[in-house]
Amino acid sequence: MPQITVDYSERLAGAFDRRGFALALHPLLVDVAGATADACKTRFVRTEGSLVGDGTGDDGIVHVMIGLLPGRSPEAKARVTEGALDLLRQYVKSDGGLRLHASAEVRDLDDSYRRSAEA
């Protein structure tokens, strides 16, 4: 059930261990949000255009959006977002002057959410 989308700026393409991040995030969702590992689905979306402030810095942007079925407490959601930010700091390696702008959010999936898996 966790639907995870990670948007990241093109600048981070070589500095972001995306697979490692997802493989670390999924157990966090199991432990904190009561998800099952097999239900965790993460997709990464590289954005070609991004800009921070006046555009003169060497900035990388990453935003993690986690959709969960309703029912998690605000405290559990906060633990998930803090955990995701901690993991980003581990899996995005700075190559010198890179400034990482990281954010994360948890949202409740809409009542219309349905899933299907084909064998």
Side-chain angles (χ1 to χ4, degrees), residues 4 14 36 38 44 46 58 67 75 85-86 92 97 115:
I4 305 146
T36 62
D38 289 345
F44 294 90
R46 183 168 74 182
D58 188 12
E75 295 79 16
L85 290 173
D86 288 343
V92 178
R115 63 181 174 255

Side-chain angles (χ1 to χ4, degrees), residues 94-108:
S94 176
D95 59 357
L98 174 70
R99 288 186 303 167
L100 176 63
H101 299 267
S103 57
E105 67 177 301
V106 173
R107 61 178 175 80
D108 289 341

Side-chain angles (χ1 to χ4, degrees), residues 59-109:
D59 301 291
I61 303 168
V62 61
H63 180 69
V64 181
M65 295 173 285
I66 302 168
L68 298 173
L69 292 174
R72 278 39 180 222
S73 69
E75 295 79 16
K77 291 177 182 179
R79 286 181 53 209
V80 168
T81 55
E82 288 298 326
L85 290 173
D86 288 343
L87 290 172
L88 285 173
R89 289 190 273 286
Q90 294 175 42
Y91 288 93
V92 178
K93 300 301 179 196
S94 176
D95 59 357
L98 174 70
R99 288 186 303 167
L100 176 63
H101 299 267
S103 57
E105 67 177 301
V106 173
R107 61 178 175 80
D108 289 341
L109 293 170

